[in-house]
Amino acid sequence: MTSIKLIFKNVKKNIQDYMIYFLTLTISVGLFYSFNSIQSQPALSHLDATKQLLSDQMGILISALSVIVAVVLAFLILYANQFLLKRRKKELGIYTLLGMEKGKISRIFAGETLCIGVLSLFSGLILGVILSQGLSLLSLRLFAIDLAEFQMVLSVAALKMTICCFSVIFVIVMLFNVRTIASVKLIDLLAAGRKNEELSLTNKVLQTCLFLTSLICIVASGFIINRYGIMPSRENYCFQAAAILLAVGTMLLFYSGSAALLSVVQVNKRIYLKGLNTFLSRQIGSKIHTNFVSMAVVCGLLTVSICGISVGVSTAITMNEASKAALPYDLNVVSEVDIAGDTDISAWLKAKDVDMESIAQKTEQISLYEADLTYGDLFDDQNVKLWPIDQKVPESSVYVVSVSDFNRAMSMQGKDTIELQETEFLLNCNYKGTFQYIEDFLQNHSSIIVNGKSLQAASSEVLQETYWMTSVGNNDRGTIIVSDKIAMSLNKAENVLLVQYKADTDSDAVLQKMIPIGLEWETHGYRYTEKVMLNSIFYGAGALWVFLCSYIGLIFLLICAALLSLKQLTETADNIYRYGLLQKLGADGKLLYGALFKQIAVFFVVPLVIAGVYSVFGIRKIVAIVEEFMNMHIATNIGFTIVLFLIVYGGYFLATYLSCKRMVQERHFNEMEV
C-alpha cells in the first residue's frame, strides 16, 4: 500500500479521533477570518469623519490582536496535536515493528495532519465567510448605518492573511510531529498511556491547611481589589499583589480541594459505595489534583472571557440607548453670558456665516439661570459618593430654567408640556451620577427657597427629560423648574439655541463651520453640541469596545473549551483499559457511560462555576471603571454571554462526551470480537 493511500485510509478510519481537532481548527479559522474581514464591508466606507476614524482604529487594533491570537492558537493546535499523537502511538509502534522506517512513519503522520489541516482550513473559511456577514450586519448596526447598504463581500485581504497564518501553523505542527516521532522509543510507543497518576496529597491535616490557605488567598485578593480597584499602577502595587494571591489561591483550591472533596465522599459510605462512585471519585480527584495548574489557567481565561463579553456587549447597548435619549436636537449652541453677553445666538451665528434660516426647520432660544443655592445644599445630610469627575459638583450653583423655556424645549421634541404655579417648582435630572441624590432630596423635602421665595414641590417625582444637549450625553445633574417670574429674578448664566435641521441640510457642512467657533469658545463664549458628531462618538466607541471585547472573549472561550475537551479525550484514551476492566467486572453500559458523563461534566462545570463567581465580582468592578470614565450607568446584560457559552462551551462538552463514549464502546466491541 502506498503512503498516500495509507494516509487517506488512516484519516477515514480515525475521523472520530480528529473530531475535536477538526472542530477547533475550523472555529479558529472562522473567527480569525470573520473579524479580520469587517473592514472590507463597503458600507463602512460611507461613515462620517468621526466614525471613520473609530472604524480605522478598530481595524488596526483587531489586526494587532490577530497576531497575538495567531500565536495563542498555534500553541492550542500543538496541544491538540499532542492528543492525536498520543492516541496513535501504539499504532505507530506497530508500524515500527513491521519494519517501517521512522522517516516514512513521520511522513504518513505529517500527511494526515496536512489532510485535516486543509479540510479544516477550507471548512473554516466557509464558516468565516458566513460569520463575517453576520458581523458586518452587527457592525453596521453599531455604527448606526442603514442596513439596506449592507453588501455580501469576500475579503481577499482577510483570506490571504488567514491562509498565510494557518499555513505557517500547520507547517510548525508537521515539523513538531516529525521531530517527536523520530526521537521517541519503540517501548514508549507500545506502552503509551499505561502510567497511572497517584494522589500525592494524602495527609489530612495538610489537605485542610492548604484548602484553608487557598480560601484565605482568594478572600484576601477580593478584599484588596474591592478596596484598591483593578487598575494597575506604578505607585501602588496592590492590584499586582491581589492578582498573585488570586492565582495562587485558585491553584491551591484545585490542588487541595480535589483531595478534600475525595476525603469527604469517602467518609460517606452510602455515596462512596453507590454504583461506580468509588471509581469515579478517585478518577476525578486524581485528575484535578494532577492537572491543577491547567485547571487554574482555564478558570482564569474563562473569567476574562465572561467579563470581556458581558461588559463589552452591555456597554455598547447602554451607549447606543443613551445616545438616542441624549440627542433630541440636531444642534444646540450655548453662549456664556459672562463672556458673550445676553445676545441673540442666531444673529451672532449669521455673522459667522452660519445662517439658521437656511438650515433650520425650527429653532428656540432658552435661558439657564443660577439659583442662590448649590448642589451641596441639595445633597446635605446624604451619604454622597460621586464619581471622580463630579467631585466639584457640590460647590456648583444649581441651574434654574423657566417653565416657559422648558415647555418650548419639550414642544420641539413633540412631548407634552407641563403646568406650574408661581409658588411651585419641579426638579429635572437625567444624570445617573447624581439622580439618586436629587430624588432623595425631593422625597424628603416638599419645599425649597429660591431667591428668598418659598416654593412647594408640584410633584414628588423627578423629571428625566433632556431639554438641552451637552458634549457628554445626558448630563443634567439637576435643574429646578420655576415660574417665569421667579426665573427672571435670578442671574442669567447661559443662553441655549436649540436647532432642528431641515430635511435636506448637510450636517457635515454645518459641522465644518461650527468647528472654528467651538475652538474659540474661551474667547467668544460660544460652544456647540452637534448630533451627528456626538452620535458618532457613542456608536463608534460602542462598536470598537464590543468588537474588541467579543474578539478576545470568543478566542479565550474557544481555547478553554478546546483545552478541557482535549484533556478529557487524552484522559479517556489513557484510562481506556480501566473502563475495560469495569466491563469485565460486570458494570453495565448505563453505569459506565453515566460515570463517564459525570467525570467530563465535573471537569467542564467546576472551572466554569468558579470563573462565574470571580466574574460576578470582576464585572462589578469593571463596570464601575467604565461608568466613571464614561459618566453613565451601565446596565449589565449577560443574556448574550449565556447563549454564547451554551453554544460554544456546551457544544464542546457534548462533542467530548460523544468522542469519549465512542472510545469506550470501541474497546468493548473489540474485546467481544476477541
Side-chain angles (χ1 to χ4, degrees), residues 319-320 322-323 326-327 472-473 534-543 632:
M319 290 180 70
N320 291 344
S323 68
L327 306 172
V472 289
L534 194 58
N535 190 53
S536 299
I537 293 174
F538 271 103
Y539 277 101
M632 63 172 59

Side-chain angles (χ1 to χ4, degrees), residues 331-379:
L331 172 73
N332 66 215
V333 183
V334 180
S335 68
E336 300 281 351
V337 174
D338 289 344
I339 302 174
D342 191 3
T343 61
D344 183 338
I345 299 177
S346 293
W348 187 87
L349 288 174
K350 189 173 184 178
K352 295 293 183 179
D353 195 30
V354 184
D355 186 4
M356 286 296 146
E357 293 182 0
S358 62
I359 65 173
Q361 179 180 354
K362 188 174 183 180
T363 63
E364 292 285 1
Q365 179 167 316
I366 65 174
S367 299
L368 305 180
Y369 303 85
E370 288 184 346
D372 53 351
L373 69 162
T374 64
Y375 287 100
D377 297 326
L378 301 184
F379 302 160

Side-chain angles (χ1 to χ4, degrees), residues 147-395:
L147 297 184
E149 297 186 24
F150 166 77
Q151 299 179 35
M152 293 189 67
V153 64
L154 178 67
S155 174
V156 177
L159 192 66
K160 290 180 179 178
M161 185 177 183
T162 304
I163 292 175
C164 289
C165 284
F166 282 88
S167 295
V168 171
I169 292 173
F170 294 150
V171 170
I172 294 173
V173 170
M174 286 189 289
L175 293 175
F176 175 82
N177 290 340
V178 171
R179 180 180 178 277
T180 301
I181 294 173
S183 60
V184 75
K185 296 179 181 179
L186 177 60
I187 186 64
D188 294 330
L189 290 172
L190 295 176
R194 288 286 177 176
K195 293 182 179 180
N196 188 23
E197 290 115 340
E198 296 294 335
L199 195 62
S200 59
L201 190 60
T202 57
N203 189 300
K204 306 295 184 183
V205 176
L206 184 58
Q207 285 179 13
T208 305
C209 290
L210 288 178
F211 183 70
L212 292 176
T213 301
S214 70
L215 295 180
I216 291 172
C217 289
I218 293 172
V219 172
S221 173
F223 176 79
I224 294 173
I225 291 176
N226 187 59
R227 181 169 182 177
Y228 297 101
I230 58 174
M231 293 296 290
S233 170
R234 293 182 179 180
E235 294 78 19
N236 191 330
Y237 292 93
C238 290
F239 172 75
Q240 290 88 332
I244 293 173
L245 282 173
L246 185 62
V248 172
T250 304
M251 285 190 288
L252 286 178
L253 181 64
F254 283 110
Y255 183 75
S256 61
S258 56
L261 180 62
L262 178 60
S263 299
V264 172
V265 173
Q266 287 176 335
V267 170
N268 193 329
K269 300 301 181 183
R270 292 183 61 185
I271 297 177
Y272 185 65
L273 299 177
K274 183 180 180 181
L276 296 180
N277 286 350
T278 303
F279 166 78
L280 180 63
S281 59
R282 295 195 65 85
Q283 280 286 102
I284 294 173
S286 63
K287 297 305 179 184
I288 293 180
H289 179 77
T290 54
N291 296 289
F292 68 95
V293 175
S294 60
M295 295 291 283
V297 170
V298 167
C299 184
L301 292 178
L302 284 174
T303 303
V304 174
S305 181
I306 295 172
C307 292
I309 296 174
S310 298
V311 176
V313 173
S314 299
T315 302
I317 292 174
T318 301
M319 290 180 70
N320 291 344
E321 290 177 350
S323 68
K324 296 175 184 178
L327 306 172
Y329 316 109
D330 293 314
L331 172 73
N332 66 215
V333 183
V334 180
S335 68
E336 300 281 351
V337 174
D338 289 344
I339 302 174
D342 191 3
T343 61
D344 183 338
I345 299 177
S346 293
W348 187 87
L349 288 174
K350 189 173 184 178
K352 295 293 183 179
D353 195 30
V354 184
D355 186 4
M356 286 296 146
E357 293 182 0
S358 62
I359 65 173
Q361 179 180 354
K362 188 174 183 180
T363 63
E364 292 285 1
Q365 179 167 316
I366 65 174
S367 299
L368 305 180
Y369 303 85
E370 288 184 346
D372 53 351
L373 69 162
T374 64
Y375 287 100
D377 297 326
L378 301 184
F379 302 160
D380 194 25
D381 298 329
Q382 296 187 50
N383 183 20
V384 178
K385 295 181 180 179
L386 298 173
W387 287 328
I389 197 173
D390 298 325
Q391 293 304 311
K392 293 185 178 181
V393 167
E395 303 170 8

Side-chain angles (χ1 to χ4, degrees), residues 404-457:
S404 296
D405 283 352
F406 186 84
N407 283 337
R408 285 192 287 136
M410 292 298 99
S411 296
M412 281 192 70
Q413 301 178 37
K415 295 183 177 181
D416 295 334
T417 58
I418 61 173
E419 294 184 2
L420 200 64
Q421 300 297 322
E422 186 175 329
T423 58
E424 294 178 331
F425 77 95
L426 287 170
L427 280 174
N428 185 78
C429 179
N430 58 25
Y431 183 58
K432 300 299 182 182
T434 57
F435 180 81
Q436 68 179 89
Y437 309 119
I438 296 294
E439 187 177 43
D440 287 345
F441 170 82
L442 193 57
Q443 295 295 326
N444 297 317
H445 298 80
S446 59
S447 64
I448 192 173
I449 297 177
V450 177
N451 198 24
K453 303 289 185 180
S454 178
L455 305 177
Q456 300 297 315

